[in-house]
Amino acid sequence: MFSLFQLNGFVAVAEELHFGRAAERLRMTQPPLSRQIQLLENELGVELVDRSHRAIRLTRAGRAFLPEARRLLRQAEQAARMARSASTGEIGSLALGFTAASAYRTLGAVLGVVRKNLPGVEIILREMVKNEQLEALSDGSLDLGMMVRPPVRRHDLDSRIYLREQLVAAIPVGHAFAKSPEPLTVADFDGESVIMYRPAESRYFHDLLTSIFRNAGCAPVFSHYLSQIHSVLALVNAGFGLSLVPAGATQLRYPEVVFRSVELPESSQVELSLVWRRDNDNPALAALLDYLKHG
C-alpha cells in the first residue's frame, strides 16, 4: 500500500511539474523523490508522470489521481488534528449528572464553560439524585456528577466543592414575614408550619435544616415532607407553610412566594460539589475540571 509520504511527493511534483522544485519544496533531494514516485506508480500499476519530454507532465491516470491524492492528504491531516484534539479533551463526549438543586444556578454556568472553551465536546445530560450519580460514577456510565451533598468518602471517587450558597426563606406572599424588611432569624420559625425535606430522598437538606433548628432551640411544625426543591416551593406557593431553600432556587418564579434572607451561621451554607471517578481517563473531563478550577 502506498504511503502518505509518497502521496505528498506526487502532489508536489504534480503542482510544480518539476522534480527539482518539488524536491526543494519538500526539503529533500531529487533522487529519493523520483524513487518515491516510482514506488507509488508500481503500487498503483499505472504511470502517473510522463517523463518522455523535456518538461514533465501528468498522464491521464495522474490527472485523475491528483484530486484523490489531495483528498487523502486532507483526510489524513484532519484525522491527525482530531486525534490531537481528543488527546487534549478538545473533542469527545462527557456524561454529566446533576440534581435538581444543582441545576438552578450551577448547571448553566458549567455548560457555558464547555460551550466557550470546549465547543467540540458533546455533553450528555442526566438528571439523577445523589445516590444514582454515585453508582453511575462508580460503574463508569457517568463522567462528572454535580450534587449538593456532605463529603463522600469513597476510595474510587474524587471531589471538590464548586459552589457555596446561603439558604433563604421561602414565604407565602400573604404571611406576615413576607412584609417585614428585616432579615429573619431561625427563632422566627419556632411554632411555624414548615415544609421539610424527606429524609430518605433528600438526606442532606433534611439533616441540614434539622441541625439548624435544633442548634437554635427552635421547634417548627413540619407539616409536609417532600424530596424536591421545586415541590417544596409549590407548597409554599399554595400557602401551606414556610421553608428554607438554596439561594439559587430564587430563580424559580412562583407568584405567591417571597424570598427573604435569614441570619444563619456560616456552617449552614449549602455546598455543591463536583464528583468524578478517580481513575477516569477521559481527556474531556480533565480539560473541563481544569477550566472550572481556574475560571
Side-chain angles (χ1 to χ4, degrees):
M1 178 57 67
F2 52 78
S3 67
L4 294 177
F5 182 66
Q6 292 168 353
L7 288 179
N8 201 38
F10 166 69
V11 170
V13 169
E15 291 176 350
E16 299 291 343
L17 293 178
H18 190 280
F19 275 96
R21 290 195 298 270
E24 184 178 353
R25 169 174 153 182
L26 297 172
R27 299 184 179 180
M28 60 187 301
T29 59
Q30 183 173 334
L33 175 59
S34 298
R35 177 60 178 162
Q36 291 302 317
I37 300 300
Q38 291 173 350
L39 291 173
L40 178 61
E41 291 174 324
N42 291 339
E43 182 67 34
L44 296 175
V46 295
E47 188 178 65
L48 299 173
V49 180
D50 183 356
R51 303 170 179 82
S52 62
H53 300 83
R54 182 182 298 273
I56 68 171
R57 53 192 175 188
L58 297 183
T59 65
R60 180 179 297 177
R63 292 193 297 273
F65 186 62
L66 179 58
E68 294 303 311
R70 287 171 171 154
R71 180 180 63 81
L72 289 171
L73 288 172
R74 286 195 301 269
Q75 288 180 332
E77 178 56 32
Q78 182 182 14
R81 286 197 301 269
M82 291 182 66
R84 289 191 292 269
S85 296
S87 70
T88 59
E90 295 175 15
I91 63 172
S93 64
L94 194 67
L96 176 63
F98 65 97
T99 61
S102 67
Y104 302 136
R105 176 174 294 179
T106 309
L107 180 60
V110 171
L111 294 180
V113 170
V114 175
R115 182 168 53 192
K116 177 182 177 181
N117 300 287
L118 300 167
V121 173
E122 177 191 10
I123 296 293
I124 302 165
L125 292 174
R126 299 175 64 185
E127 184 176 2
M128 312 168 78
V129 298
K130 170 192 163 184
N131 288 337
E132 291 174 334
Q133 288 192 51
L134 294 176
E135 291 306 312
L137 287 166
S138 291
D139 67 27
S141 60
L142 197 66
D143 292 300
L144 182 65
M146 300 192 321
M147 60 189 75
V148 177
R149 59 172 190 84
V152 174
R153 295 177 177 86
R154 291 177 52 161
H155 71 279
D156 60 331
L157 300 179
D158 270 336
S159 67
R160 70 167 179 251
I161 295 172
Y162 179 66
L163 175 72
R164 290 184 175 93
E165 60 180 343
Q166 299 287 345
L167 288 169
V168 298
I171 307 167
V173 70
H175 195 285
F177 290 169
K179 301 174 177 62
S180 174
E182 299 299 324
L184 300 179
T185 66
V186 179
D188 290 327
F189 287 81
D190 192 57
E192 291 286 338
S193 177
V194 169
I195 298 157
M196 187 54 157
Y197 296 90
R198 194 184 303 274
E201 294 90 351
S202 299
R203 169 64 63 181
Y204 177 78
F205 282 113
H206 177 274
D207 290 353
L208 182 59
L209 266 63
T210 299
S211 174
I212 289 171
F213 294 135
R214 182 177 59 244
N215 291 340
C218 176
V221 177
F222 298 134
S223 56
H224 296 84
Y225 288 81
L226 298 173
S227 59
Q228 298 295 329
I229 292 171
H230 58 268
S231 301
V232 169
L233 290 176
L235 280 195
V236 175
N237 187 71
F240 283 93
L242 318 176
S243 194
L244 292 173
V245 298
T250 60
Q251 298 181 42
L252 297 175
R253 302 300 180 185
Y254 285 85
E256 302 298 318
V257 176
V258 174
F259 295 102
R260 295 280 313 284
S261 61
V262 183
E263 295 177 354
L264 294 169
E266 186 175 342
S267 60
S268 65
Q269 286 185 327
V270 176
E271 294 181 347
L272 187 139
S273 294
L274 304 175
V275 188
W276 63 95
R277 183 167 169 149
R278 185 165 295 157
D279 61 358
N280 189 321
D281 60 357
N282 185 343
L285 172 63
L288 176 57
L289 288 173
D290 189 60
Y291 280 118
L292 293 175
K293 183 177 181 179
H294 296 100

